[in-house]
Amino acid sequence: MDRIRIEGGRRLQGEIPISGAKNAALPLMIASLLSDETLTLRNLPRLADVSLLSRILGNHGVDMAVDGKRPGQNGIQGDTVHYTARTIVDTTAPYEFVSRMRASFWVLGPLLGRCGEAKVSLPGGCAIGTRPVDLHLMGLEALGAEIELEDGYVVARAPNGLIGGRIDFPKVTVGATHNVLMAAVLARGETVIENAAQEPEVRDVADCLVKMGAQIDGIGTSTLTIQGVDRLHGATHCVLPDRIETGTYAMAVAMAGGEVELVGAKTDLLEAAVEVMGEAGVDITATNRGIKVARNGAKIGAVQVSTAPFPGFPTDLQAQLMALMTMADGTSEITETIFENRFMHVQELARLGADIALDGDKATITGVGALKGAQVMATDLRASVSLVIAGLAAEGETVINRVYHLDRGFERIERKLGDCGAEIERISS
Ligand code: UD1
């Protein structure tokens, strides 16, 4: 299994291109199941999760064609891929796929909407808490689906097609919002989703569905109203920039020091994180091409932060912020409100010398000024990257073992950081 070796203490200087958002790319690819015409997606990130989902979609009958590179195009721009689901050849998403990537469970809604049936394995994905799917099922049942659980599979049927309904989610869920939204666009009549997730990736998917002919009101708000249509057509859509990758590199610069322009990033996608980093003393300014992040010698201020659904501070940046706060001048508190058990990075950060006390969903981080390199283990996706950015700031050598999680969500991370002066290499084995 690959490892990443970092020699810490190098300041970061230069620019980092921000890729298309993984969390938008995956549901956008899944949206191709809704039409027999071609959905073209631009700015797709090159990630293990994207490749795995391509295989899953291929299994359902989606044909894929990747655009070749044109002269003048460099390896930094994302891929353009044409997805065509002329006929759905299989409505089953098997365990061996879905257990490896939770988002693939979201094929359930579109398959049900288009074919009136779907059989999808219960999901896996990052080991961060129990992550149930009850709200996905509740939403699809509200659209008239009959759902049974059989041998670890969700078997859903709507023999006469889905019918519009009202769903009021008792908690904000990104995945169930995607799933129900994609089912509702082909249901008969009106669907209202209350307490819908407002994450920019949900908005991006809704915008794409509208380009495909869906009728959706309230995009970007917590109430989505969908008028079902008989069919969707082809469209072209460009995946929005990855706000989590943006925030991660911003925190990397804050930890290691230096000045880096995050090209293609957009501040309005991560205002809460920009505000927290500003409070911590990191300079963040919008530029023509993206965002400039700088910390030149200033101390890092301690902060109190709770994760929350968008527009709050994202849970997907919690581990990275915690890494940053290990170096703060003072004591910080970070409360994780979205996922239970999303603190696997704590014991690994402690191996680098961090002082973190856990009490239920709250972590108290006492700044230690400097971290020291060590061997650490990557656990889930965001925890892994928190160890990378901590390694950049730690004195001496840090080796991060089991980095396959990183490749699921961060495109060419060692190259992007290496190009800015980090001493980082992948050791393949
Ligand atoms: C998505 C993101 C993930 C991010 C998370 C929260 C993708 C591919 N993944 O995950 O990176 O960390 O949103 O922003 O976009 N819940 C239930 N029942 C359900 C569904 C969810 O109780 O049926 C709970 C979850 O356990 C969790 C909370 O709702 O406590 C939010 O989960 P959700 O927003 O659904 O996360 P994902 O869509 O899995």
Side-chain angles (χ1 to χ4, degrees):
M1 230 174 275
D2 287 5
R3 290 174 292 159
I4 283 187
R5 194 190 70 81
I6 299 169
E7 191 63 40
R10 308 281 186 276
R11 289 162 62 76
L12 300 177
Q13 208 72 40
E15 56 182 63
I16 295 180
I18 295 302
S19 299
K22 168 182 91 80
N23 286 357
L26 301 177
L28 284 165
M29 291 165 67
I30 289 174
S32 69
L33 290 169
L34 287 162
S35 173
D36 59 359
E37 294 183 17
T38 301
L39 175 62
T40 299
L41 295 177
R42 297 217 174 100
N43 197 31
L44 278 172
R46 295 181 197 89
L47 297 172
D49 272 9
V50 168
S51 312
L52 177 60
L53 183 59
S54 298
R55 285 176 58 202
I56 297 173
L57 293 175
N59 200 50
H60 293 303
V62 180
D63 285 327
M64 274 153 257
V66 184
D67 262 13
K69 288 269 171 277
R70 281 182 291 280
Q73 212 174 346
N74 52 33
I76 280 163
Q77 279 146 334
D79 285 335
T80 295
V81 182
H82 309 277
Y83 298 91
T84 313
R86 205 164 305 288
T87 32
I88 303 291
V89 295
D90 192 344
T91 54
T92 298
Y95 173 78
E96 56 268 35
F97 287 145
V98 188
S99 59
R100 287 167 61 191
M101 185 185 33
R102 185 177 165 84
S104 56
F105 185 73
W106 306 346
V107 299
L108 181 63
L111 285 175
L112 194 55
R114 176 152 169 204
C115 307
E117 59 164 49
K119 180 175 172 187
V120 178
S121 168
L122 287 163
C126 280
I128 45 171
T130 46
R131 300 185 88 173
V133 292
D134 55 327
L135 302 177
H136 296 245
L137 305 187
M138 180 197 100
L140 295 173
E141 276 173 339
L143 302 184
E146 295 158 15
I147 293 178
E148 282 168 56
L149 296 183
E150 278 171 22
D151 308 326
Y153 278 77
V154 173
V155 182
R157 292 188 189 86
N160 301 314
L162 294 171
I163 344 154
R166 278 192 86 82
I167 297 110
D168 189 352
F169 283 121
K171 67 156 87 158
V172 177
T173 147
V174 171
T177 303
H178 280 309
N179 222 336
V180 176
L181 173 64
M182 287 195 272
V185 291
L186 290 180
R188 272 196 315 281
E190 182 178 276
T191 297
V192 179
I193 307 177
E194 301 277 13
N195 203 22
Q198 300 174 62
E199 268 64 6
E201 294 75 24
V202 174
R203 198 173 65 212
D204 206 36
V205 170
D207 285 342
C208 175
L209 293 171
V210 168
K211 287 183 195 162
M212 296 170 78
Q215 292 184 17
I216 307 169
D217 278 336
I219 294 175
T221 75
S222 61
T223 304
L224 295 171
T225 305
I226 303 117
Q227 307 294 339
V229 293
D230 288 340
R231 61 184 301 273
L232 295 186
H233 50 71
T236 297
H237 187 80
C238 182
V239 181
L240 91 172
D242 196 316
R243 65 195 166 103
I244 304 304
E245 189 192 29
T246 304
T248 300
Y249 288 128
M251 293 201 208
V253 177
M255 283 200 86
E259 184 170 311
V260 172
E261 188 173 17
L262 304 175
V263 178
K266 288 193 179 147
T267 40
D268 60 338
L269 299 179
L270 74 166
E271 280 172 0
V274 167
E275 202 179 303
V276 168
M277 294 184 71
E279 237 177 89
V282 184
D283 287 332
I284 301 191
T285 42
T287 65
N288 291 342
R289 301 194 306 160
I291 299 176
K292 189 173 275 178
V293 185
R295 188 176 70 85
N296 291 307
K299 283 187 173 168
I300 296 164
V303 296
Q304 322 273 313
V305 173
S306 282
T307 60
F310 190 84
F313 188 89
T315 174
D316 286 350
L317 286 175
Q318 181 255 105
Q320 298 89 316
L321 179 66
M322 197 176 298
L324 176 60
M325 286 304 122
T326 62
M327 292 175 55
D329 188 25
T331 301
S332 310
E333 275 177 13
I334 301 181
T335 306
E336 172 57 57
T337 70
I338 309 288
F339 292 110
E340 61 198 78
N341 196 21
R342 198 176 207 183
F343 282 133
M344 269 93 74
H345 42 287
V346 168
Q347 64 187 38
E348 298 303 307
L349 288 170
R351 295 175 65 79
L352 300 175
D355 178 353
I356 305 171
L358 278 184
D359 180 13
D361 60 0
K362 188 162 80 179
T364 305
I365 307 111
T366 308
V368 290
L371 298 174
K372 277 215 158 47
Q375 293 259 349
V376 290
M377 183 80 77
T379 48
D380 67 66
L381 174 54
R382 311 302 175 184
S384 315
V385 84
S386 75
L387 299 172
V388 172
I389 66 174
L392 295 176
E395 289 163 7
E397 184 185 270
T398 296
V399 176
I400 300 149
N401 294 291
R402 282 216 209 162
V403 295
Y404 64 91
H405 289 288
L406 271 180
D407 299 327
R408 294 186 36 219
F410 288 88
E411 182 176 332
R412 297 174 302 122
I413 187 166
E414 63 275 24
R415 189 159 146 216
K416 288 189 183 188
L417 287 168
D419 285 351
C420 289
E423 202 176 315
I424 178 169
E425 63 170 343
R426 180 179 290 254
I427 306 165
S428 301
S429 49

